[in-house]
Amino acid sequence: MCILLWLQYALERLKVMCEEALCLNLSVENVSDVLALADLHCAEQLRTHAIDFINRFYLSVCDI
């Protein structure tokens, strides 16, 4: 049981680390794909960050 808890914690931590890396590397070219991944994997922090990015750079995102 302890191992399962550790594994669950480790995977959750890995998910958070991946979300943080994706947030730092958002671009006009990848934001729509990242938003789709965030929705698919229930990554709320990443989803919020992607939507904020789209709102800030709306015209550039729409040009792509």
Side-chain angles (χ1 to χ4, degrees):
M1 184 66 163
C2 186
I3 291 174
L4 293 176
L5 291 174
W6 174 81
L7 182 59
Q8 181 179 355
Y9 173 77
L11 291 177
E12 184 61 32
R13 179 69 187 129
L14 179 59
K15 179 182 172 185
V16 169
M17 290 169 60
C18 290
E19 281 186 65
E20 290 171 353
L22 287 168
C23 285
L24 291 174
N25 291 295
L26 279 179
S27 69
V28 169
E29 292 82 15
N30 71 11
V31 70
S32 61
D33 292 331
V34 171
L35 180 58
L37 284 172
D39 281 339
L40 183 65
H41 296 287
C42 301
E44 288 303 316
Q45 175 187 351
L46 182 58
R47 183 179 186 281
T48 300
H49 199 80
I51 290 172
D52 289 346
F53 185 93
I54 291 169
N55 287 332
R56 258 185 278 135
F57 301 103
Y58 178 77
L59 294 177
S60 297
V61 171
C62 289
D63 267 354
I64 297 275

